[in-house]
Every structure is written in C-alpha cells, then in structure tokens.
C-alpha cells in the first residue's frame, strides 16, 4: 500500500467517532475518505485499487508517543540494555558479556540499571565497573537517564570532570559532571551507528502501531547533528512521523530563530527545571523521605517567564521538564507571569507543554487548566515505581507518593493529556501505557481505557497543535494501525465512571480488554499517511 493507492478495508471493526458500528474504511491519497458499514462498503469495492479483508481485525488511529529519545532508544535496542537485570551481579555480567561481544567499540555504552529494584539496593561501584569493563571506557545511564555510573577510563577522557557539580568519587554522576561524561560518550558514536539506532527505534515503533514520535532532543541530552539527522531520516525514509522538540532555553529572538532553523516545532521537551525522583534530583518543597535535601532546581520563575514569552512571540511551543512539586510551582509562576505580559489568550493559544508533571497539587492542576498547558505524561512510570513498596514511596513516603500522576484529576479539570514513554526510560509500549493509566496503582487516579487511548492517539497530535489528526474521520491523515485482539469492550476503571458509556445501547466504540494479565493486542499493520510502514510477516 502506498499513499497514491485507493484502498478499501472491510469486514473488521473500525474505531471511529464518525460511526460507532463501522466495519469498513476507504483510504485515498493518504487520507481517510470514508468510514461506514459493511453494506455500504459494497458500493466502493469495484472502484478502488486494493481491498484488504480485515477478517475481524480492529482498526484504530495510530498511536503517538509524545516523549521519546529516538537515538538512545535505538542504542538500547541494539546495544547494552540493563533494564532487565534483577540483581547487581546480573548487571555486571551483562557488562562483561557486552565487552566481549564488542571488542572494537572505543567507548562502551549502556542504559537502564535501576538499583532501587535490586536486592543490593546500591549501584555498581567504580571498581566493579572497571573490572567488568576490562579497564575500558564505559558509560551506563540509570533508567531515568538523570544520572550515570562510569569507569575510570571514561573519566580520564574528560579533563576537569572531578571539579564539576554532581561529581562523586564513587557514586552516580549527576548535573554538570553527568553532562560532561555523556558528551564524551556520545562523541564516540559514529554516523553509521547513529543512523542504525534511529532506524531500529522507528522500526520498533512502527511494529507497535505507533505512527508518530515526539523527539525530545537538546544540548543537555544529545546534539544538533543527532537531532537534524533524525529529522532528515524521517523525511527520506518511510516510518513513523518525527516531530522534533529542542530543549534549549531561549533568551532572545536570535535564539528562537535558531531553534526554528533546526526544524523544531518547539523549544520544549526536556528543558530541565529539575531532575528525577529516582536520582534524588527532582525539586521538592519538602525534603526527600530518604535524603536530607530537596533536590536540584535548574531554572527559576523569571527564566521560565522569559522563555515562554519569547517562544510565544516567535510562534514556537515552549515546554519544560518538571517532576517535583517545587519545579511545577516554578513553571506555573513563570507561565502566569508571561500571561500577564502577553495576555492569557496568547499563552493558551500557544499550547505550551510540561513533560512528566508528576507531583501536582490541586492548585497547580487548576493553573494548568487556566493557562492551557498540556500535561505530557508517562503512565508506565506509575506501573514501574508506584505502589506502597515502590521507588516513589521510598523517596517520598507513602502519603506523598499516593499523590503522584493524578490523571483523573487532570481530566476533570480540563487539562489536555498526551501520553508517551520517555523511551528508553520505559519501553515503547502503547497498549501497556493505556493499561497503566486505566489501572493506576492509586485507584483515585485511574481513568477509562477510552480516555487513556485518546490521550495516546489524538492527545499527542493536539499537543503539537494538530486538531485534524489522531482520529479516523473523513479528511484526517490516514495514520492507522490494524490489530488482532479479543472481544472489544467499553472498559471503565470502576463505578465512578458514568454507567451509560458501558451500555451497548450508548453506541460507544469498544476497545480491547486491558485488564492486567490479559494479552495485549498484536499489531498486524501500521500505516502512516496512507503508506504501510509495518506489516507483520505472513499477514
């Protein structure tokens, strides 16, 4: 299938607001031309180039992952991935095996260790890493990518690193020290390795029914060549769309123009106001439960206000990484100051966005709604780190941990949600993400499967200003996925959700049953702009 072909898909289930009982769809010139019933599909059959018999499969809009680090995702897919290590010795063995398998790599790269989930409850020491890496330079990011452990040989490649903020003689590096070693490690990646990683990440996304990725790059995360090369690759090769966000603080009109010249749709994404809870660098109002400090603040309200105002005037989206309650308060204060300068309507119309937005309060949720801020969030964070015994509770105590990621309250307030993975922090896994939101570890924060699905499809497109995409209606881009799944249901988290929506007479379109432990849907085909970018073998 290519975007010049007229295609009829029939004898399936089409998830569309245009017709809750639709079983067929026509795609023409890269857009949805018609959706409707099986009987009406007969009139199209003789006039199309291709007919696809869905054999009962489900057709949905393709997912949009609203927060991805594409090259890092590809490197994790093709290189050393420690996210599955269950113990410290197991992680060190993976390092040894990777060293042996890659004798020619100048610097060894890996990602995904999480000592909070290991029985040892500590990261590897430098001596342990030196031994496992055989004396070679090694860079290993923690699962949240806000700290890293490295070998002595890598430190020797970064002059002056021991005097930088965030350097610790035998503990994970954070802040400026982490950025310095990351830059040295990434400089070792060849253009060929980078391209292979980007292709691997896009291919994995396509195989999971993802039709668009919001790439979150920036000077503290990657580099300009990585960012622009990815945008070029997406222009030249079929695959999921790439929408680039460049996380550089804007201080004047020249800076705004430079971000636009890079091809970014916003000076947003991981523009750090703070760090992460796992690395004790998220900025809090009150100290951590397991550390006698309140984290690390990276920007103040004045800097936020200036950035938002300049972006708004330049027609760019602004956005920030903010996790802790103090960081989110800083963002709200800064955006409100920009609104007082430029007018609330202009700020709301720009659709500025906040990444992660985990530690919210009723006051900051209300401010998000008032200021028109999109919450770009990652539900699998809760699945991974929530609960009474999870990392959140270790860092914050049970009471504060239960307030995190309040998706139901955000929706009730009218705050737009866009779901993503922050891959490689958590894997590309859209149905798993929808499940994590619908079955949040804190019941009060659960939302319906339908609302979660919308946040992961239409929500991601709206987050970048596209209201005409992310749903299967005539005129919309033909970005869709075909799924093999079990019986469709209308699934609400509990009785607090209106009963009418689960009554078949309501005509609410069904979605797969995502009850935990049930199998997730299997992607058979992914189409972007009418062009097939993934087809499961033997389909």
């Amino acid at each position: 299938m290519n975007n010049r072909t007229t295609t009829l898909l029939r004898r399936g289930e089409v998830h569309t607001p245009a017709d809750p009982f639709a079983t067929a769809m026509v795609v023409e010139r890269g857009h949805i031309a018609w959706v409707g019933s099986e009987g009406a599909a007969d009139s199209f059959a003789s006039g199309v180039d291709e007919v696809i018999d869905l054999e009962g499969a489900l057709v949905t809009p393709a997912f949009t992952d609203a927060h991805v680090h594409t090259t890092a995702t590809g490197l994790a897919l093709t290189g050393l991935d420690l996210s599955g290590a269950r113990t410290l010795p197991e992680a060190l063995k993976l390092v040894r095996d990777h060293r042996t398998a890659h004798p020619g790599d100048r610097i060894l790269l890996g990602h995904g260790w999480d000592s909070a989930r290991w029985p040892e409850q500590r990261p590897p020491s430098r001596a342990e890493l030196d031994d496992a890496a055989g004396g070679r330079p090694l860079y290993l990011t923690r699962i949240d990518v806000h700290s890293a452990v490295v070998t002595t040989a890598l430190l020797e490649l970064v002059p002056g690193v021991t005097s930088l903020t965030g350097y610790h003689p035998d503990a994970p590096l954070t802040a400026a020290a982490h950025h310095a070693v990351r830059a040295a490690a990434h400089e070792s990646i060849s253009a060929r390795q980078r391209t292979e990683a980007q292709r691997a990440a896009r291919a994995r996304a396509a195989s999971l029914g993802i039709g668009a990725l919001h790439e979150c790059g920036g000077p503290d995360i990657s580099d300009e060549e990585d960012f622009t090369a990815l945008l070029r690759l997406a222009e030249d090769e079929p695959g999921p769309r790439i929408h680039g966000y460049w996380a550089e603080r804007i201080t004047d009109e020249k800076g705004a123009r430079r971000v636009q010249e890079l091809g970014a749709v916003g000076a947003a994404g991981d523009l750090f106001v703070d760090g992460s809870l796992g690395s004790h660098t998220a900025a809090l109002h009150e100290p951590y439960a397991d550390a006698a400090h309140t984290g690390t603040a990276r920007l103040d309200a004045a800097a936020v206000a200036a950035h938002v105002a300049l972006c708004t005037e330049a027609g760019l989206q602004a956005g920030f990484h903010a996790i802790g309650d103090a960081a989110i308060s800083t963002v709200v204060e800064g955006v409100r100051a920009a609104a007082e300068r430029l007018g609330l309507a202009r700020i709301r119309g720009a659709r500025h966005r906040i990444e992660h937005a985990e530690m919210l309060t009723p006051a900051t949720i209300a401010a998000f709604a008032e200021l028109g801020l999109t919450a770009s969030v990652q539900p699998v964070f809760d699945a991974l780190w929530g609960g009474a015994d999870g990392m959140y509770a270790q860092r914050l105590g049970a009471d504060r941990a239960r307030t995190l990621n309040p998706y139901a309250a955000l929706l009730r307030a009218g705050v737009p949600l866009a779901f993503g993975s922050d891959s490689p922090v958590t894997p590309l896994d859209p149905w798993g993400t929808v499940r994590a939101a619908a079955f949040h570890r804190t019941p009060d924060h659960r939302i319906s499967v339908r609302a979660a699905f919308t946040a992961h499809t239409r929500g991601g497109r709206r987050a970048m200003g596209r209201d005409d995409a992310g749903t299967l209606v005539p005129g919309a881009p033909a970005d869709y996925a075909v799924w093999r799944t079990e019986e469709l249901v209308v699934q609400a988290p509990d009785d607090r959700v209106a009963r009418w929506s689960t009554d078949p007479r309501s005509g609410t379109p069904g979605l797969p049953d995502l009850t935990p432990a049930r199998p997730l849907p299997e992607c058979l085909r992914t189409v972007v702009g009418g062009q097939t970018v993934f087809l499961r073998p033997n389909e």
Side-chain angles (χ1 to χ4, degrees):
M1 183 192 298
N2 61 58
N3 58 12
R4 290 180 293 277
T5 299
T6 301
T7 302
L8 168 65
L9 298 92
R10 63 184 309 180
R11 286 190 276 275
E13 301 278 354
V14 180
H15 187 87
T16 170
D19 181 348
F21 306 107
T23 63
M25 180 172 78
V26 173
V27 174
E28 185 174 28
R29 295 182 181 178
H31 288 77
I32 309 300
W34 172 86
V35 291
S37 67
E38 196 58 46
D42 289 335
S43 63
F44 291 99
S46 62
V48 300
D49 301 308
E50 180 182 23
V51 176
I52 296 177
D53 188 342
L54 295 168
E55 299 179 349
L58 171 67
V59 183
T60 72
F63 287 101
T64 292
D65 192 312
H67 193 118
V68 173
H69 305 286
T70 307
T71 302
T73 296
L75 290 171
L77 289 170
T78 59
L80 174 55
D81 182 1
L82 298 177
S83 60
R86 293 163 294 182
T87 67
L88 174 55
E90 187 176 333
L92 292 171
K93 182 180 184 302
L94 289 171
V95 172
R96 290 189 185 92
D97 292 346
H98 184 76
R99 175 197 80 194
T100 302
H102 296 80
D105 288 2
R106 189 171 71 88
I107 297 178
L108 300 170
L109 304 173
H111 166 74
W113 61 269
D114 185 1
S115 57
R117 304 176 71 194
W118 294 343
E120 296 83 5
Q121 289 288 298
R122 69 170 181 86
S125 69
R126 190 157 299 148
E128 289 169 330
L129 288 180
D130 287 346
D131 177 69
R136 293 166 63 184
L138 169 70
Y139 170 73
L140 293 179
T141 46
R142 189 185 182 277
I143 191 168
D144 60 9
V145 201
H146 285 271
S147 59
V149 289
V150 302
T151 56
T152 303
L154 180 57
L155 289 175
E156 291 171 350
L157 298 178
V158 188
V161 66
T162 58
S163 63
L164 295 177
T165 303
Y167 174 80
H168 309 284
D170 200 21
L173 306 182
T174 61
H178 178 210
H179 298 156
V181 296
R182 173 164 50 195
H186 284 182
E187 285 173 5
S188 73
I189 301 171
S190 69
R192 177 189 58 78
Q193 285 176 297
R194 181 183 64 213
T195 299
E196 288 177 354
Q198 291 170 350
R199 284 177 176 147
R202 293 181 79 219
R204 174 62 66 88
S207 75
L208 296 168
I210 298 171
L213 302 169
H214 292 190
E215 163 65 13
C216 293
D220 288 339
I221 301 162
S222 53
D223 58 55
E224 292 183 11
E225 177 56 31
D226 179 89
F227 186 77
T228 56
L230 175 62
L231 297 182
R232 288 195 301 270
L233 183 73
E235 287 288 326
D236 295 341
E237 298 182 7
R241 303 176 192 271
I242 301 288
H243 306 290
Y245 287 87
W246 184 252
E248 186 166 355
R249 179 181 163 195
I250 303 303
T251 57
D252 54 32
E253 294 180 5
K254 181 180 178 181
R257 285 195 300 272
R258 201 177 67 78
V259 169
Q260 290 168 322
E261 289 165 359
L262 287 175
V265 296
D270 280 329
L271 180 52
F272 297 117
V273 181
D274 68 346
S276 74
L277 292 166
S279 291
H280 290 100
T281 51
L284 312 181
H285 285 305
E286 301 294 333
Y288 284 87
D290 61 350
H293 62 81
T294 57
T296 306
R298 301 280 297 275
L299 292 177
D300 61 19
V304 170
H307 180 82
V308 170
L310 284 163
C311 286
T312 303
E313 291 175 326
L316 280 169
Q317 279 185 290
F320 305 91
H321 163 121
I323 286 178
D325 52 1
I328 293 171
S329 295
T330 295
V331 170
V332 165
E333 182 183 348
V335 177
R336 185 170 281 130
E340 290 171 358
R341 173 181 165 187
L342 299 181
L344 181 59
R346 288 187 70 185
I347 296 299
R348 289 178 59 88
R351 303 192 191 190
H352 303 308
R353 50 190 285 173
I354 312 302
E355 309 301 314
H356 315 308
E358 292 198 77
M359 206 171 172
L360 292 153
T361 65
T364 51
I365 290 171
F368 272 43
E370 173 198 355
L371 299 167
L373 298 174
T374 294
S376 171
V377 296
Q378 296 75 40
V380 176
F381 285 8
D382 173 74
L384 193 60
W385 298 314
D389 299 321
M391 182 271 288
Y392 290 152
Q394 294 173 24
R395 295 290 185 269
L396 302 172
D399 289 344
R400 280 194 293 177
R402 278 192 293 269
T403 70
L404 294 186
N405 303 303
Y407 304 137
L410 286 163
L411 284 181
R412 284 195 300 269
V415 176
L417 292 183
F419 281 178
S421 63
D422 199 8
S423 181
V425 174
T426 67
L428 299 169
D429 180 14
W431 285 114
T433 297
V434 173
R435 171 185 278 170
F439 294 92
H440 197 295
R441 288 179 179 271
T442 304
D444 286 348
H445 300 333
R446 292 174 179 170
I447 60 177
S448 70
V449 167
R450 183 185 183 194
F453 178 78
T454 299
H456 215 347
T457 50
R458 195 170 190 182
R461 305 308 295 273
R462 284 176 163 174
M464 55 161 298
R466 288 290 301 270
D467 290 332
D468 61 340
T471 186
L472 301 181
V473 295
D479 294 4
Y480 63 90
V482 180
W483 307 92
R484 180 183 292 120
T485 187
E486 297 177 356
E487 181 181 2
L488 304 183
V489 297
V490 178
Q491 197 165 26
D494 54 44
D495 287 342
R496 290 169 299 172
V497 177
R499 289 181 178 275
W500 68 265
S501 66
T502 60
D503 188 321
R505 292 171 295 179
S506 71
T508 303
L511 284 166
D513 184 348
L514 299 183
T515 303
R518 293 189 70 90
L520 293 174
E522 180 182 29
C523 186
L524 305 179
R525 181 190 297 261
T526 305
V527 175
V528 175
Q531 184 171 13
T532 297
V533 298
F534 169 75
L535 184 64
R536 184 162 296 281
N538 303 318
E539 293 297 334

